[in-house]
């Protein structure tokens, strides 16, 4: 299962934007900005790969697991725009999955660009709608 979260600093949470994969398992809708491994990714802006996350002292069962609370191998990838971490992608891996931190670093860069483009598109559509509404009001 792979999930994309974007930070809402006003609410102090990460909001689930999208999730895919995972047979039957679901990821959490919202996550606090701290504690846990999730928080470390936001603070450091670095990829974290933990094949046995439960052994990490920063691991938090209530945050660093899917909704079912079962700990799985994890790959965290920060989402950065202009050098600022705005969210993260976390992938729960199958036991023995062949993945490396370098894979996460490459994927994080690609995902950051994709999220940036998505946010720019959302902003553009909103601006176009505002301009269209202003034109309609100006004609009345």
């Amino acid at each position: 299962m792979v999930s994309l979260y974007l930070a809402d600093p006003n609410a102090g949470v990460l909001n689930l934007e999208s999730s895919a994969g995972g047979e039957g398992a679901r990821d959490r809708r919202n996550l606090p900005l701290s504690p846990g491994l999730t928080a470390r990714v936001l603070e450091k802006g670095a990829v974290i790969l933990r094949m046995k996350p439960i052994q990490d002292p920063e691991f938090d069962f209530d945050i660093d697991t899917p909704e079912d609370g079962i700990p799985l191998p994890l790959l965290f990838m920060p989402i950065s725009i202009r050098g600022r971490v705005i969210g993260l992608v976390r992938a729960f891996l199958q036991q023995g999955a062949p993945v490396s931190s370098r894979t996460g670093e490459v994927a994080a860069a690609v995902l950051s660009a994709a999220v940036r483009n998505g946010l720019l598109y959302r902003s553009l559509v909103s601006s176009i709608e505002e301009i269209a509404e202003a034109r309609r009001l100006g004609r009345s």
Side-chain angles (χ1 to χ4, degrees):
M1 170 188 354
V2 178
S3 301
L4 167 66
Y5 289 90
L6 294 180
D8 181 348
N10 296 326
V13 297
L14 288 163
N15 291 314
L16 179 65
E17 295 290 326
S18 181
S19 186
E23 298 165 16
R26 294 184 339 164
D27 213 346
R28 300 172 189 274
R29 302 273 316 145
N30 299 303
L31 299 170
L33 296 177
S34 65
L37 293 169
T38 301
R40 188 183 327 154
V41 173
L42 296 173
E43 292 167 12
K44 305 268 186 208
V47 170
I48 293 178
L49 172 63
R50 293 291 181 271
M51 296 312 285
K52 296 182 180 181
I54 196 167
Q55 294 177 347
D56 192 303
E58 292 187 64
F59 177 79
D60 187 310
F61 271 98
D62 295 329
I63 299 169
D64 299 322
T65 59
E67 263 187 356
D68 62 14
I70 298 172
L72 296 167
L74 268 168
L75 174 62
F76 291 97
M77 298 165 280
I79 299 299
S80 301
I81 296 179
R82 296 184 188 146
R84 190 172 141 240
V85 178
I86 64 161
L88 60 86
V89 169
R90 66 184 197 171
F92 293 99
L93 310 171
Q94 295 178 3
Q95 294 291 344
V99 69
S100 71
S101 293
R102 180 66 183 140
T103 300
E105 291 168 5
V106 171
V110 171
L111 292 167
S112 292
V115 168
R116 181 190 67 235
N117 289 342
L119 292 173
L120 287 171
Y121 177 77
R122 188 185 314 178
S123 176
L124 177 63
V125 168
S126 177
S127 295
I128 290 170
E129 289 171 350
E130 288 174 12
I131 290 170
E133 181 65 23
R135 286 183 177 169
R136 279 192 290 274
L137 292 174
R139 291 183 191 147
S140 340

